[in-house]
Amino acid sequence: MVEKELFAIFMDGIFIKNFLLIQFLGLCSFVGVTKDVKSAAGMSGAVVFVMAMASTASYLIYTYVLVPADMQFLDLISFIVVIAALVQLVEFVVRKNIPSLYRSLGIYLPLITTNCAVLGAVLLNENAGYNFIQSVVFGVSAGLGYTVVMLMMAGIRERSTFVNVPSAIRGLPQAFFIALMLSMAFVNYFWVIPI
Amino acid sequence: MDPLSEYIRGITRDNPIFGLVLGLCPTLAVTTSVENAIGMSAGTAFVLICSNIFVSALRKQIPSAVRLPIFIIIIATFVSIVKMIMQAYFPPMYAALGVFIPLIVVNCIIIGRAEAYANKNNVFYSFIDGLGISTGFLLVLMLIGGIRELLGTGQIVTFDYTLITLPINPSVTTMILPPGAFLTIGSLMAIVNYQKEKKRAKGG
C-alpha cells in the first residue's frame, strides 16, 4: 500500500499526470468534442461524474468481490461492465433533463464507455495500490484535470475558427498543433515543480 | 471483393490512424521508440484479428439490441489473454507499455471494426480485414516511433540491433516527451491531407 498524501494525489491527477496532455488518455473526445466550449463543458461534466463513480465502484468490487473470490484475472471484464452501466445511467439522466446537450454530444456520450480516460483511471488506481479514499480522490482529480484541459482547448479552438491557415492544416492537424503548445506548457511547468 | 484489395484497403483508404482517425491514445502514448510501437501493434493485432473472427462467426446468433456489450466482453476476454501472455513472457515490454495493454479493450479500432465490418461479413473476409487494419496500424506506429526515436535519441535501437545512427546527435529530448507526439502526428496528418487535396484537385 502506497502511503501518499491526499493533496499530492490530487495535484498528480490534475497537473502532473494530466490525462490528456501527459498520459494520452481520452484523446478521441479531446479532438472530437472541443469545437465549442458548451459541449466540451457538458462532456467534461459527464466524464468527471463517471470517473468518480467508476473509481468508487471498481475499488469496492475489486476489494470485496474479486480478491476474496481469488478471481483477479477477471478485473478488466468486471471494470468495463461497471463503466458501461454507469454510462447508461448518465445517458438516461442527460437525455431526460438536458436534451440540447444530449444532441450536441451525439455519439460521444455512449462512447464514454470506450473512453480510455475512465478505464485508465480505474486501472491506474489498481496499479498504484491506492486505498478507498485515495482512489476516489484520484478519480475526481483526474476528471478535473480532464475538464481544465478540455475547456482551454475548446476556448482556443473556438477563437481560432476564423484564423486563415492553409487548408491542409485546417481541422485535425490544427487541433494537434494547439495541443502541442498546451502540452509543452504542462510538461515544462508541472514536471519541474516537486510537489 | 477480392482478398488482396481488401487487405490493401486496411493500409491505405481505411488506415486506422489517418483514414478512420481511431485509436489515437496508444498511437501517441507508446510511440517513444520503434520497439514499443512493434509490441503495441502486435498485441492490438492479436486482439483485433481474434475478435473479428469471433464476432463474424457469431454474427447470426448475436441479437442486435445487445450487440455492443457482447462485443466488449469478447474483446475484453482476448485482451486478458494478451495481458497475461505479455506479463509472463515479455516482462520488460509489459512494463514499458504499462496501462496501455489492458487499455486495448477500449481501443476504438477494435470495436469499430467489429461493428462496421465483422458484424456484416463472413469469417474469411473479417480475418483479412483484421490483418489489413493491423498492418496499417503497425506501419503508422513504426513511422511515428521511428521519427520520435531518431530525433529524440539520435539512433534507432530495436531488440538490441542498432538500425540507424545519425552522424550528429540532434537529441531533441522534446520528441520523446509528450509534446513530440502531438508535433509528429500533427505534421504527418497535415502531409496526408495535402496529398489527398492534390489528388482530388487532379481528379476533378
Side-chain angles (χ1 to χ4, degrees), chain A residues 53-134:
Chain A
M53 297 295 283
S55 307
T56 315
S58 59
Y59 178 82
L60 295 176
I61 286 184
Y62 188 75
T63 320
Y64 296 109
V65 180
L66 293 184
V67 173
D70 202 18
M71 296 203 292
Q72 285 97 327
F73 63 90
L74 281 180
D75 54 354
L76 258 181
I77 296 179
S78 50
F79 291 164
I80 195 92
V81 170
V82 167
I83 293 169
L86 281 169
V87 170
Q88 199 64 239
L89 185 75
V90 173
E91 200 184 331
F92 284 145
V93 172
V94 173
R95 181 155 55 178
K96 190 115 185 21
N97 296 329
I98 327 172
S100 63
L101 180 63
Y102 181 77
R103 275 194 300 276
S104 73
L105 288 180
I107 184 75
Y108 287 98
L109 192 57
L111 278 185
I112 297 180
T113 312
T114 54
N115 187 332
C116 0
V118 178
L119 187 62
V122 171
L123 289 172
L124 287 175
N125 272 333
E126 193 201 334
N127 286 355
Y130 287 156
N131 64 25
F132 181 64
I133 297 180
Q134 285 170 326

Side-chain angles (χ1 to χ4, degrees), chain A residues 20-28 30-31 72-73 75-77 80-81 84 111 113-117 119-120 123-124 126-127 167-170 172-173 176-177 179-180 183-184 187-188 191, chain B residues 21-26 28-30 72-73 76-77 79-80 83-84 98-103 105-108 111 148 174 177-183 185-187 189-191 193-194 197:
Chain A
L20 291 170
L21 296 177
I22 308 287
Q23 311 232 37
F24 301 115
L25 294 167
L27 286 175
C28 297
F30 182 54
V31 292
Q72 285 97 327
F73 63 90
D75 54 354
L76 258 181
I77 296 179
I80 195 92
V81 170
L111 278 185
T113 312
T114 54
N115 187 332
C116 0
L119 187 62
L123 289 172
L124 287 175
E126 193 201 334
N127 286 355
S167 57
I169 295 182
R170 192 177 299 283
L172 277 179
F176 281 120
F177 289 138
L180 158 73
S183 166
M184 263 185 181
V187 168
N188 291 331
W191 274 16
Chain B
V21 198
L22 294 173
L24 288 174
C25 309
L28 296 184
V30 301
I72 290 183
I73 299 285
T77 312
V79 173
S80 300
K83 187 182 149 191
M84 285 181 228
V99 78
F100 283 93
I101 288 292
L103 279 180
V105 177
V106 288
N107 191 327
C108 323
I111 196 154
R148 290 180 67 189
T174 316
L177 291 179
F182 285 118
L183 179 63
I185 195 162
S187 318
M189 226 166 228
I191 294 171
N193 278 357
Y194 179 70
E197 262 171 29

